[in-house]
Amino acid sequence: MTPSQSKKYIYLIVPFLKGFALFLILSGLFGIVGCGSHAQAIGGWKPATKVVSLETAKQIIADNSSQKADGNTYTQLEAIRLTNKLTLFKINSPSFCGYFGCLHLAYLEETPGEYRPILRRYINPLLPKNTTQIQLLKEPPNGIVAKSSLPCLRFFQAHPTNNTLQQITECFDGQVYKIVETRNSVIGN
């Protein structure tokens, strides 16, 4: 190979190496930032009757009320399907909301049209700006072994008096969702 031919190959190799180095750097950054988050914010609530049948919506209200709910309370029931078997509901009715927030429920569809309650939690919608209320976790936290194929749920609650944000993670144990992790942080830090 003559010296002029080797210079020609250097001009081809240098841009290739620069491009490859840039690819490695960007891949590393996206791996750290993009894949570091194993949580997905839950949103896109719909009227429950767009997710489950009218009878199911009415039954959920009846099952969670100690008093006779009026016939239209189901219209204040919202839902989001998290998996093909897991549906999360929230009831935005004065009868189901209070100091601790509004009632949120998760139901597992065991057979078509047959639902079983597996989570019941009051969640206050008043949160610091840019804070998600509920997250769906792809993996259980802190190396906890998943006991189910259902995802874990993370809830955020602002404490009304001591300026803290509570993060509660619950995972399905085969029967119901149970708390597996709780963290507190000062709001604003």
Side-chain angles (χ1 to χ4, degrees), residues 36-174:
S37 175
H38 297 287
Q40 169 188 348
I42 294 177
W45 294 93
K46 300 176 186 172
T49 54
K50 295 194 182 288
V51 179
V52 296
S53 70
L54 176 61
E55 295 77 29
T56 299
K58 286 182 175 182
Q59 188 62 48
I60 288 170
I61 295 294
D63 289 348
N64 291 284
S65 179
S66 59
Q67 54 191 334
K68 179 140 175 76
D70 66 53
N72 292 327
T73 305
Y74 74 89
T75 60
Q76 296 170 341
L77 181 67
E78 294 181 332
I80 186 166
R81 190 169 296 277
L82 301 177
T83 70
N84 61 348
K85 296 286 185 187
L86 179 63
T87 305
L88 187 62
F89 297 91
K90 69 177 175 179
I91 308 173
N92 292 320
S93 165
S95 302
F96 293 90
C97 296
Y99 180 76
F100 294 109
C102 293
L103 183 60
H104 286 65
L105 308 154
Y107 276 74
L108 181 64
E109 187 174 18
E110 294 184 315
T111 60
E114 301 268 333
Y115 291 85
R116 177 173 67 89
I118 57 175
L119 176 122
R120 179 183 170 96
R121 170 172 287 284
Y122 283 89
I123 302 174
N124 193 329
L126 302 176
L127 291 170
K129 190 176 182 178
N130 298 325
T131 302
T132 304
Q133 190 176 38
I134 306 169
Q135 292 179 340
L136 187 70
L137 298 180
K138 296 176 184 173
E139 298 173 11
N142 297 332
I144 296 169
V145 177
K147 296 181 180 176
S148 162
S149 61
L150 294 179
C152 294
L153 299 171
R154 181 171 286 153
F155 303 98
F156 292 89
Q157 291 280 98
H159 193 279
T161 59
N162 67 7
N163 202 38
T164 59
L165 182 66
Q166 187 176 38
Q167 172 185 303
I168 304 159
T169 304
E170 297 193 29
C171 295
F172 189 64
D173 71 356

Side-chain angles (χ1 to χ4, degrees), residues 27-37:
S27 296
L29 288 175
F30 285 128
I32 292 169
V33 176
C35 298
S37 175

